[in-house]
Amino acid sequence: MAENEMNKGLSQVSIRLVQESPLLSDESINTPEQAVKVLGEWLEGMDRELVCVLNLQADLKPINMNIVSMGALNEAQVHPREVMKSAILSNAACMMLLHNHRGKGMLTS
């Protein structure tokens, strides 16, 4: 191996959580109905299917919400790595997975 190739080293990458404007409340969210109350209107306004993770503290108060997948009109593909990433980085005690059904006026969790 040439000396200039050895000195290049490895590229360093980093992952950061970026805080955006709040969508959530300070109330505990322990039922699907409460999740719909907090996020339902926002998700219904989307023009495509989304899969989101709601990261929660031990007392079920929300830490943050992450859009895991933005799909097409009638599907959204999800990889387990993306589901777990924000929960791990947020040090979440638990999480809730949310998915909207575009055009059907429905939200599932």
Side-chain angles (χ1 to χ4, degrees):
M1 191 180 288
E3 185 177 332
N4 62 350
E5 287 181 34
M6 290 189 324
N7 291 334
K8 286 183 181 177
L10 294 174
S11 297
Q12 183 178 358
V13 297
S14 61
I15 298 172
R16 295 184 178 99
L17 289 174
V18 178
Q19 186 171 348
E20 296 186 14
S21 59
L23 293 170
L24 307 175
S25 67
D26 289 333
E27 298 177 28
S28 294
I29 299 175
N30 57 10
T31 66
E33 293 78 20
Q34 288 173 320
V36 169
K37 180 180 171 187
V38 173
L39 290 169
E41 186 176 324
W42 180 79
L43 282 170
E44 283 181 352
M46 296 295 137
D47 66 346
R48 63 196 76 204
E49 292 206 13
L50 297 179
V51 177
C52 304
V53 171
L54 181 58
N55 295 305
L56 304 166
Q57 300 173 6
D59 61 0
L60 301 179
K61 290 185 180 174
I63 299 170
N64 55 40
M65 184 273 297
N66 178 43
I67 298 172
V68 173
S69 175
M70 183 176 288
L73 177 66
N74 61 352
E75 69 178 5
Q77 295 182 353
V78 179
H79 192 280
R81 174 189 63 234
E82 302 306 319
V83 171
M84 300 301 294
K85 186 189 311 184
S86 68
I88 291 168
L89 292 173
S90 300
N91 199 26
C94 54
M95 60 190 198
M96 188 177 284
L97 194 64
L98 299 133
H99 171 67
N100 69 331
H101 288 279
R102 178 66 197 129
K104 297 177 186 168
M106 246 164 108
L107 173 70
T108 60
S109 61

mmCIF file of all heavy atoms in Angstrom, residues 6 18 32 46 56 58-59 64 69 85 102 106:
data_model
loop_
_atom_site.group_PDB
_atom_site.id
_atom_site.type_symbol
_atom_site.label_atom_id
_atom_site.label_comp_id
_atom_site.label_asym_id
_atom_site.label_seq_id
_atom_site.Cartn_x
_atom_site.Cartn_y
_atom_site.Cartn_z
ATOM 1 N N MET A 6 -2.211 5.265 2.899
ATOM 2 C CA MET A 6 -2.299 4.983 4.330
ATOM 3 C C MET A 6 -2.620 6.250 5.115
ATOM 4 O O MET A 6 -3.270 6.195 6.138
ATOM 5 C CB MET A 6 -0.996 4.365 4.843
ATOM 6 C CG MET A 6 -0.774 2.969 4.329
ATOM 7 S SD MET A 6 0.598 2.064 5.089
ATOM 8 C CE MET A 6 1.830 3.269 5.391
ATOM 9 N N VAL A 18 -31.895 16.705 15.173
ATOM 10 C CA VAL A 18 -32.141 18.117 14.913
ATOM 11 C C VAL A 18 -33.529 18.445 15.440
ATOM 12 O O VAL A 18 -34.516 17.837 15.035
ATOM 13 C CB VAL A 18 -32.054 18.424 13.404
ATOM 14 C CG1 VAL A 18 -32.365 19.882 13.140
ATOM 15 C CG2 VAL A 18 -30.678 18.051 12.874
ATOM 16 N N PRO A 32 -53.591 4.510 21.984
ATOM 17 C CA PRO A 32 -53.639 4.961 20.592
ATOM 18 C C PRO A 32 -54.523 6.202 20.422
ATOM 19 O O PRO A 32 -54.196 7.093 19.624
ATOM 20 C CB PRO A 32 -54.219 3.769 19.838
ATOM 21 C CG PRO A 32 -53.871 2.586 20.670
ATOM 22 C CD PRO A 32 -53.932 3.086 22.093
ATOM 23 N N MET A 46 -51.098 15.155 5.611
ATOM 24 C CA MET A 46 -50.033 14.720 4.717
ATOM 25 C C MET A 46 -50.610 14.185 3.406
ATOM 26 O O MET A 46 -51.660 13.557 3.399
ATOM 27 C CB MET A 46 -49.183 13.632 5.385
ATOM 28 C CG MET A 46 -48.450 14.103 6.605
ATOM 29 S SD MET A 46 -47.229 15.358 6.161
ATOM 30 C CE MET A 46 -47.494 16.535 7.474
ATOM 31 N N LEU A 56 -40.827 7.986 23.794
ATOM 32 C CA LEU A 56 -41.432 8.323 25.084
ATOM 33 C C LEU A 56 -40.470 8.088 26.242
ATOM 34 O O LEU A 56 -39.645 7.177 26.215
ATOM 35 C CB LEU A 56 -42.687 7.471 25.292
ATOM 36 C CG LEU A 56 -43.749 7.574 24.192
ATOM 37 C CD1 LEU A 56 -44.761 6.454 24.332
ATOM 38 C CD2 LEU A 56 -44.415 8.920 24.216
ATOM 39 N N ALA A 58 -40.014 7.202 30.433
ATOM 40 C CA ALA A 58 -40.576 6.120 31.253
ATOM 41 C C ALA A 58 -41.992 6.452 31.733
ATOM 42 O O ALA A 58 -42.817 5.548 31.900
ATOM 43 C CB ALA A 58 -39.668 5.839 32.447
ATOM 44 N N ASP A 59 -42.301 7.733 31.939
ATOM 45 C CA ASP A 59 -43.646 8.134 32.366
ATOM 46 C C ASP A 59 -44.591 8.347 31.179
ATOM 47 O O ASP A 59 -45.671 8.890 31.336
ATOM 48 C CB ASP A 59 -43.588 9.389 33.246
ATOM 49 C CG ASP A 59 -43.001 10.597 32.526
ATOM 50 O OD1 ASP A 59 -42.638 10.485 31.333
ATOM 51 O OD2 ASP A 59 -42.893 11.661 33.158
ATOM 52 N N ASN A 64 -39.826 13.087 21.573
ATOM 53 C CA ASN A 64 -39.805 13.623 20.217
ATOM 54 C C ASN A 64 -40.563 12.682 19.285
ATOM 55 O O ASN A 64 -40.991 11.607 19.685
ATOM 56 C CB ASN A 64 -38.372 13.841 19.716
ATOM 57 C CG ASN A 64 -37.529 12.592 19.810
ATOM 58 O OD1 ASN A 64 -37.978 11.485 19.529
ATOM 59 N ND2 ASN A 64 -36.282 12.751 20.214
ATOM 60 N N SER A 69 -40.368 6.899 7.614
ATOM 61 C CA SER A 69 -40.504 6.635 6.190
ATOM 62 C C SER A 69 -41.590 7.510 5.601
ATOM 63 O O SER A 69 -42.664 7.643 6.173
ATOM 64 C CB SER A 69 -40.860 5.155 5.969
ATOM 65 O OG SER A 69 -41.100 4.901 4.604
ATOM 66 N N LYS A 85 -33.468 3.838 15.366
ATOM 67 C CA LYS A 85 -32.408 4.848 15.442
ATOM 68 C C LYS A 85 -32.755 6.020 16.358
ATOM 69 O O LYS A 85 -32.006 6.347 17.279
ATOM 70 C CB LYS A 85 -32.074 5.370 14.047
ATOM 71 C CG LYS A 85 -30.890 6.321 14.044
ATOM 72 C CD LYS A 85 -30.662 7.014 12.712
ATOM 73 C CE LYS A 85 -30.643 6.108 11.540
ATOM 74 N NZ LYS A 85 -30.339 6.797 10.277
ATOM 75 N N ARG A 102 -53.247 7.419 3.837
ATOM 76 C CA ARG A 102 -53.568 8.592 3.023
ATOM 77 C C ARG A 102 -54.853 8.349 2.235
ATOM 78 O O ARG A 102 -55.031 7.318 1.621
ATOM 79 C CB ARG A 102 -52.413 8.897 2.074
ATOM 80 C CG ARG A 102 -52.645 10.049 1.172
ATOM 81 C CD ARG A 102 -52.728 11.350 1.957
ATOM 82 N NE ARG A 102 -53.349 12.329 1.092
ATOM 83 C CZ ARG A 102 -54.377 13.077 1.448
ATOM 84 N NH1 ARG A 102 -54.883 13.004 2.639
ATOM 85 N NH2 ARG A 102 -54.885 13.940 0.617
ATOM 86 N N MET A 106 -57.723 7.876 8.003
ATOM 87 C CA MET A 106 -57.454 6.928 9.070
ATOM 88 C C MET A 106 -56.028 7.078 9.583
ATOM 89 O O MET A 106 -55.128 7.420 8.841
ATOM 90 C CB MET A 106 -57.563 5.509 8.490
ATOM 91 C CG MET A 106 -58.683 4.709 9.038
ATOM 92 S SD MET A 106 -58.896 3.342 7.904
ATOM 93 C CE MET A 106 -58.285 2.036 8.868
#
